[in-house]
Amino acid sequence: MKIVKHIFWTLYRVWFYILVALPILIMFPILLISILKESWYPFFFKLARFWAKIILIGMGFKTIIKHEQALEKGKSYMFIANHTSMADIMLMLVSVKNPFVFVGKKELAKIPLFGFFYKRTCILVDRSSAKSRQAVFLRAQRRLQSGLSICIFPEGGVPEEHIELDDFKDGAFRLAINHKTPIVPLTFADNKKRFSYTFFSGSPGKMRVKIHKFLSTENLTVEDTKALNQEARQIILKQLQVFNK
């Protein structure tokens, strides 16, 4: 039985990477055109959402998304969520219709095909470099000023399996305060169970998402960064505990 499970998990992982690569290969010419101009990014974002839906459906994941507050079309937000899985990127794209730009680790740019578009459309960060973090801050500012939203996984990486929710970094909250951009916390309930970074694990099933009420930054200053950080983390942590009951 254990051997059968290991064979299933291996094939399941291989199938995931096929689903990641195949739509990119098929859509490559149109994807390439969509990234030629920064002003065309909303069109690229629609293609990315389509790509993400193919992967989630193909993996047998059923998304269940609940909103506490509706997003306004054309408004900029700072989206944050807990980070547990390789499928987090796809689930975020499916959950949110407002065009946003990911801030993510530069290592993902090394993935064949995916990395080609990732490094040309996302804001890459080398977390070991203070200079890189500052450059990220400036690039994110420019995107917010152009009317786009930003998505950051504020744990700064995927925590170890036994950690339910790691501490949040301050960058997303400081940026949101500076630009008076609302924070939108999202809780991903099942991604660790569905498709974690542990190789021999995962299965089809539901993927629940809770999009929480927005946290206003209108009257906040940089001195409020840590308090806003903690408030957002507590919202996601409490929702994880509700989901896990």
Side-chain angles (χ1 to χ4, degrees):
M1 182 60 71
K2 191 173 182 180
I3 293 174
V4 172
K5 284 183 177 180
H6 280 202
I7 291 172
F8 167 77
W9 282 323
T10 300
L11 293 175
Y12 199 53
R13 295 273 156 172
V14 171
W15 177 236
F16 174 79
Y17 289 113
I18 290 172
L19 285 173
V20 168
L22 193 57
I24 296 176
L25 280 171
I26 293 170
M27 297 191 297
F28 192 87
I30 193 167
L31 284 168
L32 197 58
I33 291 169
S34 71
I35 64 171
L36 291 178
K37 287 187 179 181
E38 200 169 283
S39 60
W40 293 349
Y41 182 82
F43 176 60
F44 172 83
F45 184 80
K46 287 181 180 179
L47 296 174
R49 292 191 77 234
F50 177 69
W51 166 80
K53 286 176 184 177
I54 289 173
I55 295 169
L56 296 186
I57 292 170
M59 293 296 289
F61 300 146
K62 181 184 178 182
T63 56
I64 303 169
I65 304 167
K66 294 187 178 180
H67 297 74
E68 288 187 342
Q69 188 173 346
L71 298 168
E72 294 181 31
K73 189 176 180 180
K75 186 167 183 178
S76 294
Y77 298 94
M78 175 65 70
F79 298 106
I80 63 166
N82 53 311
H83 198 12
T84 60
S85 167
M86 287 185 279
D88 291 344
I89 291 174
M90 297 81 183
L91 188 57
M92 182 65 80
L93 285 166
V94 168
S95 300
V96 176
K97 293 182 180 179
N98 292 50
F100 63 80
V101 176
F102 280 109
V103 174
K105 55 187 179 181
K106 67 173 188 176
E107 288 79 8
L108 292 180
K110 298 175 182 177
I111 299 173
L113 279 178
F114 170 82
F116 177 84
F117 292 100
Y118 175 80
K119 67 185 177 183
R120 287 166 175 79
T121 57
C122 299
I123 300 172
L124 308 190
V125 57
D126 178 358
R127 299 191 187 278
S128 64
S129 166
K131 186 177 180 181
S132 172
R133 293 196 299 270
Q134 180 61 28
V136 164
F137 199 79
L138 294 173
R139 288 187 66 193
Q141 281 185 325
R142 187 163 58 83
R143 292 304 182 100
L144 286 170
Q145 288 165 353
S146 72
L148 293 172
S149 296
I150 297 291
C151 174
I152 296 177
F153 295 107
E155 289 167 280
V158 177
E160 295 180 20
E161 289 283 327
H162 67 280
I163 297 175
E164 189 170 33
L165 187 67
D166 213 341
D167 292 335
F168 285 178
K169 310 295 184 186
D170 285 336
F173 306 97
R174 192 181 307 114
L175 188 62
I177 288 172
N178 282 348
H179 288 272
K180 304 304 177 190
T181 305
I183 298 276
V184 183
L186 291 87
T187 303
F188 295 162
D190 307 293
N191 292 17
K192 187 181 290 188
K193 186 188 302 180
R194 295 281 79 84
F195 204 76
S196 77
Y197 278 84
T198 300
F199 188 86
F200 292 116
S201 67
S203 66
K206 62 185 177 183
M207 275 187 164
R208 294 168 293 173
V209 182
K210 182 71 169 286
I211 302 178
H212 300 277
K213 288 183 180 178
F214 314 155
L215 300 178
S216 175
T217 58
E218 199 62 42
N219 298 313
L220 302 184
T221 66
V222 176
E223 285 70 31
D224 299 305
T225 299
K226 187 58 70 175
L228 182 62
N229 176 326
Q230 291 302 313
E231 183 181 2
R233 186 177 181 277
Q234 282 304 309
I235 288 170
I236 294 176
L237 183 58
K238 286 179 181 178
Q239 187 61 54
L240 284 172
Q241 292 166 350
V242 169
F243 277 138
N244 293 331
K245 280 184 179 178

